[in-house]
Amino acid sequence: GASGQSHGKVTSGATFYITGVQLEAGSSGSSFAHENYSDTLQKCQRYYNRYNAGSSYAGFGNAFGTSTTTFRSTITWPSMRAVPTITQSNTGINVGPQYTVTSNNTFQIGANSAWVDFTINAAGIAVNQSGIWNASNNAAAYVDFSAEL
């Protein structure tokens, strides 16, 4: 056989790919159910979504100061099977200078939107000061929404 092929034996560290399979309960099967990509994606997004920044200062939403060290922003996502947990990485608040988000907490979360509170690495922000929740000079920044079982 061709190099890299395994003929019925197990190879340590190997990856096995399978497609076009449909599992059904019962003693007889039905015709294969073809589903378009958008339907499958929508079903997956009921459990998990990720917003990737893709550029160094991409915005996730507007924000406003709620204390000298915290901001609040609203964010929306496609409807999920349950209220998700929201996590973020490498995000910040820009009010002229850029501040790093050190923690986040959801406030008034629903099925497809939430207010999110952010603590930043600075003090002296004015209450109601406007800012932008963004990628903090990091194109790998993201916001995750997880409603896993």
Side-chain angles (χ1 to χ4, degrees), residues 73-133:
S73 182
T74 185
I75 191 164
T76 62
W77 57 88
S79 291
M80 300 181 84
R81 60 170 285 285
V83 173
T85 300
I86 301 173
T87 56
Q88 57 80 35
S89 179
N90 298 308
T91 70
I93 300 289
N94 190 305
V95 295
Q98 179 75 29
Y99 297 108
T100 301
V101 168
T102 57
S103 66
N104 69 282
N105 183 43
T106 53
F107 172 77
Q108 300 293 335
I109 189 168
N112 63 355
S113 66
W115 288 101
V116 183
D117 289 337
F118 304 99
T119 303
I120 60 171
N121 64 340
I125 302 302
V127 172
N128 293 323
Q129 182 173 354
S130 64
I132 298 173
W133 177 28

Side-chain angles (χ1 to χ4, degrees), residues 12-36:
S12 178
T15 303
F16 180 71
Y17 295 96
I18 188 166
T19 62
V21 174
Q22 176 174 299
L23 301 177
E24 296 184 8
S27 60
S28 63
S30 61
S31 298
F32 188 78
H34 293 276
E35 190 173 83
N36 67 43

Side-chain angles (χ1 to χ4, degrees), residues 53-58 60 89-91 134-142:
S55 64
S56 296
Y57 291 100
F60 294 111
S89 179
N90 298 308
T91 70
N134 66 359
S136 192
N137 192 23
N138 190 328
Y142 63 83

